[in-house]
Structures are given as structure tokens and as C-alpha cells.
Amino acid sequence: LVIPSLDAGSEEMFRRVNRPHADLHFEQVAEGLVRFRRRFRGRFWLEVFLLAGLTAGDDEVLKIKALADELAPDRIQLNTVARPPTEMFAKPASIENLLRATMLLGERAEVIAEHRLPGTEVPHSARSAEIIALLQRRPCTLDDLAAGLGTHRLEVAKLVEQLVRKETIAARQHDQRVYYRVSGHDAERNTGDRPPSEAST
């Protein structure tokens, strides 16, 4: 089983989303995938990572579809941002956008992103555990946490306030933004006095 990624359908979007080496171009990647597909006899799935405001719109999905049709994968798996990303421009595509993309890409497309369908409730204890799990990886702002959990900022703010009161997590201001991190000696050793951007590398 081989699962290559195809996150863009043009040179411009390939540069913005994948940020490849200057000598690597979208046409080379596309040609390489096509040549590999012609020779490979095993299972061939395609992962497509969509970003809101960049590649989740119909026009961009259809560009990806043009190459996907040529590759004829056994499956197309649609994914999006599920945890706080390295770059803040990387916003998760909505479940509506992902479902729309499956319609455009055809019957072999499926959503594998960690979105929760409307109407499904998650207990606060589970949400708090998710917040702590994210903060154990790196410091996050409220917006980071909301994006990572795929939920509303206000809901996250309430849970964060409770965790701060319990001293489970702590707030720290850096570069005019408030970051949260797990309290305790382990968190201090992991992050020290470095800015969040350095502590997460």
C-alpha cells in the first residue's frame, strides 16, 4: 500500500501549501506520480490535505481532481488541520467543505479528518483532556486550541479558564499574545524561558 499526498493542483498553490525546495516544481511531482502509478501494481491511495481559504474551494479541488483522475487511485482520503499547526495561515476546512470535495472527487473519495458531525456532544472532561494533550506538545493560544479541537473559541475559553483556576495549565504572554502550557516541572523543563515558537521545534 502506497499513500502519496496531493495537496495542490497548480504550481502556485503547491508553493503556498507545500513550500517545496526552490528546484522542485509541481509539474515534476505530478509527472513522478503518474509514472509511478503506471508501474506500481499494489494498492494506491491518495491523501489530499485541504486548507480553508486556500485549497478547500471548488476551483482548487477540481484542479486536484484533474490529476487524481489520471492517477485513478483506489481511494482518495481527505484530511485537514486537526491540531494547532506550525503556521497560523493553515486553517481547517469545514466538514461541509470536505463533504463537498468528496462529491467533486467522486465515489472513491472519503473524509478521514477528525471533524465531529453537527449535533454530537463531547463531555467537558474529554475536551479538557484534549486541551491538555495539545499543550503537552507545545504552548498554544486560544485560537490554536480552537482550531486544533475543531470547536468554537468561546467553548475553549471556558475550559481553559477552568484549567487555569485548577492550576493544571498556566498562561504566559509572548509577543503580545497569550499562550497556555501545562503547569509543572516537566513543562518548565520542556519549554524553559524560550518563546513558544522555539519550544515547539
Side-chain angles (χ1 to χ4, degrees):
L1 171 63
V2 175
I3 313 178
S5 294
L6 180 64
D7 305 324
S10 66
E11 175 73 16
E12 177 187 1
M13 202 57 68
F14 178 60
R15 294 264 158 224
R16 294 185 65 183
V17 173
N18 294 111
R19 298 191 302 186
H21 186 278
D23 292 339
L24 183 64
H25 298 278
F26 176 74
E27 189 174 314
Q28 294 171 285
V29 174
E31 181 182 349
L33 286 174
V34 170
R35 291 174 62 188
F36 177 80
R37 178 56 168 150
R38 288 173 181 166
R39 298 176 61 182
F40 182 63
R41 295 293 177 249
R43 290 178 295 162
F44 185 88
W45 300 359
L46 200 62
E47 183 177 48
V48 178
F49 194 85
L50 297 178
L51 297 174
L54 289 175
T55 53
D58 287 5
D59 290 346
E60 294 302 324
V61 172
L62 289 173
K63 291 177 184 177
I64 294 172
K65 181 182 186 309
L67 179 55
D69 286 347
E70 188 172 0
L71 294 171
D74 301 303
R75 292 187 187 180
I76 301 175
Q77 297 187 321
L78 301 183
N79 209 343
T80 191
V81 178
R83 297 175 180 83
T86 303
E87 300 293 347
M88 290 302 102
F89 71 79
K91 303 296 183 183
S94 68
I95 186 63
E96 291 81 10
N97 282 145
L98 292 171
L99 293 175
R100 169 69 177 169
T102 63
M103 295 174 59
L104 294 173
L105 291 168
E107 60 182 13
R108 295 179 181 178
E110 60 183 354
V111 176
I112 63 168
E114 297 178 5
H115 271 285
R116 294 181 176 89
L117 294 175
T120 58
E121 296 296 330
V122 178
H124 278 193
S125 59
R127 283 293 198 198
S128 296
E130 290 177 330
I131 289 173
I132 293 169
L134 289 175
L135 295 182
Q136 285 174 334
R137 297 178 62 212
R138 69 171 188 171
C140 298
T141 66
L142 282 178
D143 289 333
D144 295 339
L145 291 169
L149 297 175
T151 191
H152 198 280
R153 190 177 188 275
L154 290 179
E155 180 184 349
V156 173
K158 293 176 185 178
L159 295 173
V160 164
E161 183 181 354
Q162 294 172 9
L163 292 171
V164 169
R165 283 203 305 265
K166 294 177 182 177
E167 298 185 353
T168 304
I169 66 175
R172 178 189 176 195
Q173 186 164 343
H174 173 73
D175 196 22
Q176 299 183 335
R177 303 180 73 186
V178 176
Y179 289 83
Y180 296 91
R181 61 182 179 179
V182 175
S183 300
H185 296 296
D186 288 342
E188 293 292 337
R189 281 198 294 269
N190 287 336
T191 58
D193 293 325
R194 294 172 293 168
S197 58
E198 294 178 15
S200 61
T201 58

